[in-house]
Amino acid sequence: MSTPRPDAGASHVAHAEHTIRTRVLDGTYPPGARLRERELSEALGFSRIPVREALTRLAAEGLVELSPRRGASVRRLSLRDVTELFDLRLSLEVFAARRAAEADPEGPAASRLGELMANAEEVTRRGAVSEIPAANTALHAGIVELTGNKLLQTALQPSLGLMQWVFTLTGNLDPAVQCAEHRDLLAAIRAGNAELAGAVAYAHIERGRRPSLDTLARVLPAE
């Protein structure tokens, strides 16, 4: 009998998390849909324990809601949620951009941010519509990581899933424009210009608000 690999449980959690996230984002699991552990574990081919952990992680990102009575279900997204998300991003990400510009430009987090930017540019160049939202979300998270502020990272965590969801639902917006704005933001951060980085971050987020809300008004309820 073979001995299970030490990381088998972790790989099952990662697989379950990726699969459920993908199905939420592409609409296979629509808002409000129940996510039953038994059905998910049978479909994925392993026990309910990694499924439960995956659902907990997705709840922490804002994609899934956990209820003592109903269990897990896909979050019901509204235009009000999106508006509040943009407001939150203006507070957290503008501050993060300023602090990131003051961080060590040669440190591992800065190197990681460069890799995330390169990946975002690559998927944009290829027109990989399904990969662009995740790449851009990771880039925004990487800027926060560069600050080294753990509390700031914790504050942003519950919004990352919502951010990727909104990016997915607004895929009609020109990704090349988004990529160019990201390059401008990273240039300001790398230059160590905190005020410019904050201003560019603010403009980038606010510029996307109205087009996003206009697009989502066709598919989301107001409340």
Side-chain angles (χ1 to χ4, degrees):
M1 181 180 296
S2 62
T3 302
R5 292 179 301 161
D7 64 345
S11 66
H12 285 168
V13 173
H15 178 61
E17 182 181 358
H18 173 76
T19 300
I20 298 168
R21 180 189 290 106
T22 298
R23 293 177 181 177
V24 169
L25 296 176
D26 69 14
T28 302
Y29 299 151
R34 296 282 296 278
L35 299 171
R36 296 177 174 87
E37 291 180 8
R38 185 180 66 181
E39 294 175 0
L40 290 170
S41 66
E42 290 174 353
L44 293 170
F46 40 75
S47 76
R48 294 169 65 170
I49 295 175
V51 170
R52 185 177 302 125
E53 174 61 24
L55 291 172
T56 299
R57 292 184 182 183
L58 292 170
E61 292 183 13
L63 289 177
V64 168
E65 294 178 334
L66 300 177
S67 168
R69 294 185 179 180
R70 285 177 50 83
S73 60
V74 180
R75 178 173 181 158
R76 296 182 185 274
L77 189 64
S78 70
L79 289 177
R80 179 173 180 173
D81 292 327
V82 178
T83 297
E84 292 178 351
L85 175 63
F86 273 94
D87 290 342
L88 181 67
R89 291 182 61 200
L90 284 179
S91 296
L92 296 183
E93 293 191 57
V94 172
F95 174 79
R98 291 194 183 104
R99 290 294 177 265
E102 299 169 351
D104 179 5
E106 304 299 329
S111 176
R112 169 67 174 159
L113 185 59
E115 294 171 1
L116 293 171
M117 184 70 243
N119 180 58
E121 290 178 319
E122 170 61 16
V123 297
T124 300
R125 183 190 63 77
R126 289 193 285 108
V129 176
S130 63
E131 299 177 45
I132 291 172
N136 286 343
T137 302
L139 180 65
H140 283 276
I143 293 172
V144 176
E145 180 184 357
L146 181 56
T147 69
N149 188 320
K150 299 300 183 182
L151 288 178
L152 186 59
Q153 293 177 52
T154 300
L156 184 68
Q157 180 64 31
S159 303
L160 291 178
L162 292 180
M163 195 183 301
Q164 186 176 344
W165 202 356
V166 169
F167 290 164
T168 300
L169 292 172
T170 56
N172 62 305
L173 303 180
D174 190 347
V177 172
Q178 302 295 312
C179 193
E181 292 179 1
H182 288 155
R183 282 194 292 267
D184 290 343
L185 176 55
L186 260 66
I189 290 173
R190 286 169 172 162
N193 190 328
E195 290 305 313
L196 178 59
V200 173
Y202 186 97
H204 170 61
I205 296 167
E206 192 58 43
R207 191 178 290 123
R209 182 196 294 262
R210 180 45 54 193
S212 296
L213 289 172
D214 288 346
T215 295
L216 295 174
R218 308 184 192 116
V219 295
L220 297 182
E223 297 284 344

